[in-house]
Amino acid sequence: MVARGGMARFWSLESLQMVAADGGTESSALVDDNGSEEDYSYEELCQATPRYLQPGGEQLAINELISDGSIVYAEALWDHVTMDDQELGFKAGDVIRVLEASNKDWWWGRNEDKEAWFPASFVRGYIRQCRKHTGMFTAAQLSTIFGNIEDIYKFQRKFLKDLEKQYNKEEPHLSEIGSCFLQHQEGFAIYSEYCNNHPSACIELAKLMKQGKYRHFFEACRLLQQMIDIAIDGFLLTPVQKICKYPLQLAELLKYTTQEHSDYNNIKAAYEAMKNVACLINERKRRLESIDKIARWQVSIVDWEGPDVLARSSELIHSGELTKISKQGKSQQRTFFLFDHQLVFCKKDLLRRDILYYKDRIDMDEMEIVDTEDGRDKDFNVNVKNAFKIINRATEEIHLFCAKKQEDKKRWMEACESERRRVQEDKEMGMEISENQKKQAMQNARKSRHGKIKGVSYNGCPVPPPHQSLHPIHQRHITVPTSIPQQQVFALAEPKRKPSLFWHTFNKLTPFKK
């Protein structure tokens, strides 16, 4: 076993992890004098030593470690101020060496040069069995199950500390807590990542819970910490519930705060700020749903070139058919898809109209939308109707488009203006989708498409799977009128048309079908 001068045990809320004598973090497995690793396994905790799972098991576990020669440390949860010489004073975050823990309420420990009693409830303990047992959990599984919960914990500690400073214990009605929420409003954004990951965490956890060893493992950890009788999925739901409660609690506080109160304006502003945080989390959740659909759409496009759509975009704003006119006056019928930051256009297959070929894209960040009057256009020297231009003032790059109807032109121009507005809103809100989430969406889409391909088309190209419908993902987005065919909103089916005698005759003479 380890000598006292060698490796030490650190008792924290998340884990019992190894720290070197100089304070550096080491492997979570024990290293004995011969250099071999000794793993405190799940079986050793709950099978070989079942008393750890009984009330008081935490103290038994700590005393076993101490008696075995390990050095155990505890981290303080709260400040402990005392005038008693036989009590150990410390501040939240201080590290205390635990020398004896036979009493469930008071432990004997050393902080700096002093040894004394301290309240056991003021420190925290949770064996990091998950991270120790790579045979049971992979790094990817732990990341999926727990997300960024440790970052949330660190943030909440700071938030709670500042909140307590604003609370008036003698006269609670005179407390001023509004400013604390305003000060930390940007920090609450970390809940977004956790909330978005939570459904995946539940799925991963449900898979593990089908096996008895995982159910027993998590229950052993809960009992060892003397936690209340709630399953691990209940504890993992707490951050999601907490962020949703803040606007409700502030609304209730505002309801009973008079306008003459010194904190009224700050509470009102805090209420609006926390509502915005909740909206941002909801928007990110919808955006994640959107990128999955965008990824599935992209992999169905034939001859795709360049970066993925998700490299810059995360939502579809508008789509439909337009006629693009080149500088030489050539007209090209194309299907356009307006995303945030870019406009992608494709060409329909001549015979299989549900197949799209990638043609090009336009960077919208430097573009300006200009209305064009009906008649002869001086830049392109052609007659146009229901036309508009997308112009880059810096490079003088000009794109000319014509819609079939005046109302179609109006919708496109409104959509382009909305695209610029939404990009700015996203920037102000801090709306970002992580690279890992984008990468995962594309991987899932390619994997799904590969499994659905059952044949090839007449030209040897894989037949794409049915296209996924994609709707605007938030009420702030423009509403697509019901008069627009559904296939123009990502279901890229050919619009209904009158039967053609030509096609009827042509199909009889060819070995393939339309």
Side-chain angles (χ1 to χ4, degrees):
M1 184 52 70
V2 184
R4 286 182 177 271
M7 306 297 292
R9 291 292 182 115
F10 182 81
W11 190 255
S12 72
L13 179 62
E14 298 85 4
S15 65
L16 188 63
Q17 69 176 10
M18 300 296 293
V19 294
D22 60 0
T25 301
E26 297 289 343
S27 168
S28 58
L30 281 174
V31 181
D32 63 19
D33 295 330
N34 298 321
S36 61
E37 292 189 354
E38 177 184 340
D39 192 7
Y40 270 44
S41 68
Y42 157 70
E43 289 77 10
E44 288 178 304
L45 279 174
C46 66
Q47 292 182 358
T49 320
R51 65 184 184 278
Y52 287 168
L53 307 185
Q54 305 302 320
E58 184 178 32
Q59 286 73 33
L60 288 171
I62 296 174
N63 279 322
E64 289 257 347
L65 292 172
I66 295 174
S67 63
D68 284 341
S70 298
I71 300 175
V72 179
Y73 289 103
E75 181 181 3
L77 280 173
W78 302 285
D79 294 348
H80 182 230
V81 181
T82 179
M83 301 297 291
D84 192 334
D85 290 339
Q86 294 199 10
E87 289 186 23
L88 196 63
F90 48 77
K91 295 181 179 180
D94 284 356
V95 176
I96 304 162
R97 179 175 173 181
V98 182
L99 302 176
E100 195 267 332
S102 58
N103 186 285
K104 69 174 183 177
D105 298 318
W106 290 88
W107 293 354
W108 183 263
R110 178 187 301 159
N111 184 12
E112 297 178 346
D113 296 328
K114 182 178 179 180
E115 290 187 14
W117 295 102
F118 64 93
S121 59
F122 276 51
V123 296
R124 54 188 186 154
Y126 187 101
I127 299 182
R128 187 176 293 175
Q129 294 296 326
C130 295
R131 285 178 177 163
K132 282 180 58 179
H133 294 82
T134 56
M136 292 182 67
F137 302 93
T138 65
Q141 283 177 318
L142 293 179
S143 177
T144 300
I145 294 172
F146 296 104
N148 64 333
I149 197 168
E150 290 176 316
D151 294 332
I152 290 177
Y153 171 70
K154 293 175 183 177
F155 167 76
Q156 278 292 339
R157 281 189 61 183
K158 180 70 167 61
F159 175 67
L160 176 61
K161 191 173 183 179
D162 292 344
L163 196 63
E164 289 175 338
K165 291 179 181 178
Q166 299 298 116
Y167 178 68
N168 190 324
K169 295 182 180 179
E170 287 72 25
E171 298 179 281
H173 64 286
L174 298 180
S175 300
E176 298 181 353
I177 67 170
S179 59
C180 189
F181 281 90
L182 296 176
Q183 178 184 349
H184 290 278
Q185 60 178 312
E186 293 183 1
F188 282 103
I190 64 173
Y191 276 88
S192 178
E193 179 182 341
Y194 186 86
C195 293
N196 290 332
N197 177 72
H198 186 256
S200 300
C202 293
I203 294 173
E204 186 64 36
L205 198 57
K207 292 178 182 177
L208 296 180
M209 287 301 194
K210 292 179 180 179
Q211 303 180 50
K213 70 173 183 178
Y214 287 100
R215 293 195 300 271
H216 298 152
F217 174 83
F218 287 120
E219 180 65 3
C221 292
R222 183 187 72 80
L223 291 172
L224 188 62
Q225 284 192 239
Q226 299 179 354
M227 299 167 73
I228 60 176
D229 190 10
I230 296 178
I232 184 174
D233 54 350
F235 287 111
L236 293 177
L237 181 62
T238 301
V240 179
Q241 295 173 326
K242 182 182 292 292
I243 198 64
C244 296
K245 286 182 179 178
Y246 283 129
L248 301 176
Q249 293 170 335
L250 286 169
E252 194 70 8
L253 181 60
L254 185 63
K255 179 180 177 181
Y256 293 100
T257 303
T258 63
Q259 295 187 15
E260 293 75 24
H261 194 285
S262 59
D263 200 32
Y264 179 84
N265 290 333
N266 280 341
I267 292 176
K268 186 176 181 180
Y271 167 63
E272 295 296 331
M274 294 310 297
K275 276 204 309 181
N276 290 337
V277 169
C279 288
L280 176 61
I281 291 174
N282 288 333
E283 177 66 12
R284 280 183 172 152
K285 187 178 188 310
R286 293 188 182 96
R287 202 67 68 88
L288 284 175
E289 295 170 355
S290 173
I291 67 173
D292 288 334
K293 295 181 180 180
I294 291 174
R296 291 195 295 270
W297 169 81
Q298 181 187 310
V299 298
S300 72
I301 304 298
V302 181
D303 297 337
W304 183 270
E305 295 180 6
D308 294 331
V309 175
L310 297 182
R312 300 191 62 205
S313 306
S314 59
E315 61 175 328
L316 173 73
I317 297 172
H318 194 55
S319 64
E321 293 189 356
L322 291 170
T323 299
K324 187 177 186 299
I325 302 176
S326 67
K327 277 289 188 179
Q328 295 74 30
K330 182 180 179 181
S331 299
Q332 298 173 324
Q333 188 78 6
R334 297 288 183 259
T335 304
F336 288 81
F337 301 89
L338 177 61
F339 300 91
D340 51 313
H341 299 287
Q342 58 186 320
L343 178 66
V344 178
F345 51 100
C346 304
K347 177 184 178 181
K348 285 186 177 181
D349 187 88
L350 179 62
L351 300 179
R352 286 290 306 274
R353 304 294 285 177
D354 59 340
I355 295 180
L356 290 179
Y357 294 86
Y358 174 85
K359 301 309 293 183
D360 207 350
R361 71 183 84 190
I362 298 173
D363 186 342
M364 297 298 291
D365 285 348
E366 304 297 330
M367 295 297 180
E368 178 183 348
I369 311 303
V370 178
D371 190 4
T372 302
E373 295 182 356
D374 293 348
R376 197 161 194 83
D377 181 77
K378 62 180 181 179
D379 293 323
F380 287 76
N381 196 31
V382 293
N383 289 319
V384 296
K385 186 177 182 180
N386 303 324
F388 64 93
K389 295 177 182 177
I390 298 179
I391 302 175
N392 187 323
R393 297 297 186 186
T395 63
E396 297 184 354
E397 176 186 359
I398 303 176
H399 301 274
L400 178 62
F401 305 94
C402 292
K404 292 181 179 180
K405 300 178 182 179
Q406 180 66 26
E407 51 265 35
D408 293 337
K409 168 187 172 179
K410 182 179 179 182
R411 290 192 194 105
W412 271 106
M413 294 191 67
E414 290 175 349
C416 291
E417 292 175 358
S418 177
E419 184 270 337
R420 289 291 85 202
R421 185 169 60 252
R422 272 184 260 178
V423 167
Q424 183 61 32
E425 289 175 358
D426 287 351
K427 183 178 180 180
E428 293 172 355
M429 287 193 301
M431 173 62 66
E432 291 183 0
I433 304 296
S434 71
E435 292 302 319
N436 287 338
Q437 289 169 326
K438 295 177 181 179
K439 182 179 179 180
Q440 187 63 49
M442 291 304 303
Q443 288 177 346
N444 292 341
R446 291 188 176 104
K447 182 178 179 180
S448 175
R449 178 177 185 268
H450 180 74
K452 291 181 179 179
I453 293 177
K454 297 181 179 180
V456 294
S457 64
Y458 64 90
N459 61 357
C461 297
V463 177
H467 296 284
Q468 300 291 324
S469 297
L470 183 66
H471 303 275
I473 61 174
H474 196 282
Q475 59 184 6
R476 73 182 176 95
H477 296 177
I478 58 173
T479 301
V480 179
T482 55
S483 60
I484 296 181
Q486 183 60 40
Q487 62 269 16
Q488 293 186 17
V489 191
F490 249 57
L492 307 175
E494 180 185 7
K496 292 182 179 179
R497 60 180 68 189
K498 294 180 180 180
S500 169
L501 182 60
F502 167 78
W503 283 113
H504 178 73
T505 306
F506 187 71
N507 285 338
K508 290 182 178 181
L509 301 176
T510 54
F512 51 83
K513 294 183 179 181
K514 177 185 172 185

